[in-house]
Amino acid sequence: MNQAKAGSGSFLRPRLLPARALLAAACIAALLLSACTGSSPGTGSSPAAPQSASESHAVQSPKPEGNGPELLRKLDLNLTLPWSIVFLDDGTAIISERDTKLIKSVRNGHATTIGEFPGVVPGGEGGLLGLALSPTFSGDRLLYSYFTAESDNRIARTRLEQSADGRLSLATPELIFSGIPKAPTHNGGRIRFGPDGFLYVGTGDSQRPEQAQDRNALGGKILRLTPDGKPAPGNPFGNNPVYSYGHRNVQGLAWDGAGRLWASEFGPDVNDELNLIKAGGNYGWPEVTGAPGRAGYLDAKVVWPSTADSSPSGLEIVNGTAFTCALRGQRLWTVPLSGETAGTPVAYFTARYGRLRDVSLAPDGTLWVLSNNQNPDFALVLEPPG
């Protein structure tokens, strides 16, 4: 495992009484079936109030819809397996396509190809994955990309040039970080700049679960980097990019209004997770999944016992609510947050639009959700509640 040269050096190796009685019995049954202490999606049509800080939730079978995000429009953009979406200040959407290696822009409901990102080698779940804009984009116009190359997963940045007539193009990319292990699956891929100005990177265990517990490996981690690709100052393990570990396959990163980092993560065949991320925290994989309450590991705040209900991907937090896309689950989950507590998740648009990959807040306050069906793919524009 190597760090790319954006600085120097390398540092790691790779209401009737009967109704009430029935309700009480149902609640007891749900608790007996749920072997976790984390938060779970509720069966009601709207999110329940957050539970006490010591509780996590396991997902039950939710009703399809209630008071939640409202669909404003569906944009038929003829996309092919879009993976990540970010927005320029003028509202232009920038989208990556995993297998085509293309970066596209969307303006006024129409998609245009900006260019093909060089060095991408698609395969399985790998390809052109996460995008992030520099915190100082207005001055440097830098677009960051996480992608699968011939031998590893990498991060590069490129200037997003704009001509006088408004057309966008890609300058030559600069590699800033490399050596993240690759495999047909479990490549991670989500990147995002935090409120502190550093780049956070979600990686997967690349089908080698033992890496997740090894702090000297890059797989199964959340990394924290400077914009140049060096370990960020203040990282929990010294001159090391690892910020948290014990992850299986991180797919979403987002911060709440108080600056707390949350992450969505694929479980194996059980226990998809929404985690509150702590610096230096060990999230248990492969020793534990979900929220077993075992000493030495941090429990998930939300647990979906069946991956058929979720397989959570992109994550966004707006007005105290976490929104996470579900791939296998084919729905959008909402989770009310209160401090470090997650309330009962509720699902929307279940089985209506197929697999959903990413969700992102646009400058106009709408939420955009990318489908991931290759039939071709589209974007949903939603009005978030509240």
Side-chain angles (χ1 to χ4, degrees):
M1 181 275 328
N2 297 308
Q3 180 195 19
K5 293 182 178 176
S8 62
S10 62
F11 40 92
L12 295 177
R13 298 181 184 276
R15 273 335 158 182
L16 297 167
L17 288 177
R20 292 178 181 176
L22 287 173
L23 179 59
C27 290
I28 293 170
L31 289 171
L32 291 174
L33 288 171
S34 172
C36 61
T37 59
S39 209
S40 60
T43 57
S45 61
S46 60
Q51 308 298 312
S52 66
S54 64
E55 292 180 317
S56 305
H57 300 268
V59 176
Q60 310 299 324
S61 298
K63 289 183 180 178
E65 240 27 71
N67 296 324
E70 176 189 352
L71 178 63
L72 300 177
R73 56 193 174 275
K74 175 175 174 282
L75 301 179
D76 294 316
L77 302 173
N78 291 313
L79 302 172
T80 303
L81 292 177
W83 210 92
S84 182
I85 180 170
V86 295
F87 289 93
L88 306 185
D89 286 342
D90 65 3
T92 299
I94 307 298
I95 296 173
S96 62
E97 291 186 339
R98 189 189 71 189
D99 291 358
T100 67
K101 305 179 283 187
L102 298 178
I103 291 180
K104 295 184 175 180
S105 65
V106 177
R107 290 175 177 160
N108 302 318
H110 299 284
T112 302
T113 296
I114 299 174
E116 180 178 308
F117 202 88
V120 179
V121 181
E125 294 176 359
L128 181 58
L129 304 177
L131 300 178
L133 293 176
S134 164
T136 53
F137 181 83
S138 61
D140 58 34
R141 298 195 63 83
L142 289 175
L143 174 69
Y144 287 71
S145 302
Y146 183 116
F147 65 98
T148 307
E150 183 67 37
S151 60
D152 57 359
N153 288 296
R154 302 179 171 193
I155 302 169
R157 62 186 179 185
T158 181
R159 280 184 57 85
L160 190 59
E161 308 282 8
Q162 186 167 16
S163 62
D165 63 3
R167 284 183 294 181
L168 298 171
S169 60
L170 302 174
T172 302
E174 174 193 7
L175 180 65
I176 67 161
F177 197 84
S178 64
I180 302 169
K182 64 172 280 189
T185 61
H186 304 188
N187 287 290
R190 195 66 61 189
I191 57 175
R192 197 160 187 180
F193 278 94
D196 56 8
F198 296 118
L199 183 65
Y200 290 74
V201 181
T203 75
D205 69 6
S206 64
Q207 300 178 347
R208 295 184 284 274
E210 69 282 354
Q211 288 189 98
Q213 289 296 316
D214 180 359
R215 298 202 301 256
N216 290 318
L218 295 177
K221 307 295 190 299
I222 293 176
L223 312 178
R224 180 172 175 264
L225 307 174
T226 69
D228 293 329
K230 299 176 183 177
N235 278 0
F237 307 114
N239 189 35
N240 182 320
V242 172
Y243 187 73
S244 63
Y245 65 109
H247 298 288
R248 183 174 181 269
N249 195 13
V250 176
Q251 293 288 293
L253 300 169
W255 285 262
D256 63 22
R260 288 176 287 254
L261 174 60
W262 298 76
S264 57
E265 180 171 344
F266 288 164
D269 55 349
V270 296
N271 293 349
D272 289 329
E273 298 176 352
L274 178 66
N275 287 300
L276 174 62
I277 303 301
K278 303 283 191 178
N282 182 350
Y283 289 81
W285 179 254
E287 303 303 321
V288 299
T289 62
R294 189 183 300 182
Y297 304 114
L298 294 176
D299 282 349
K301 295 296 184 177
V302 174
V303 181
W304 288 267
S306 171
T307 57
D309 291 330
S310 191
S311 298
S313 187
L315 179 67
E316 186 64 282
I317 299 175
V318 182
N319 297 331
T321 297
F323 299 83
T324 186
C325 294
L327 289 165
R328 189 178 172 200
Q330 298 187 18
R331 65 200 77 180
L332 180 70
W333 284 104
T334 67
V335 183
L337 304 178
S338 179
E340 297 191 352
T341 302
T344 302
V346 176
Y348 296 91
F349 312 117
T350 301
R352 190 178 302 179
Y353 299 107
R355 292 160 54 87
L356 302 179
R357 171 63 75 178
D358 196 18
V359 54
S360 185
L361 182 66
D364 64 2
T366 59
L367 281 171
W368 285 42
V369 175
L370 296 176
S371 74
N372 211 229
N373 302 300
Q374 199 176 15
N375 62 347
D377 284 302
F378 49 85
L380 304 175
V381 182
L382 310 178
E383 180 71 28

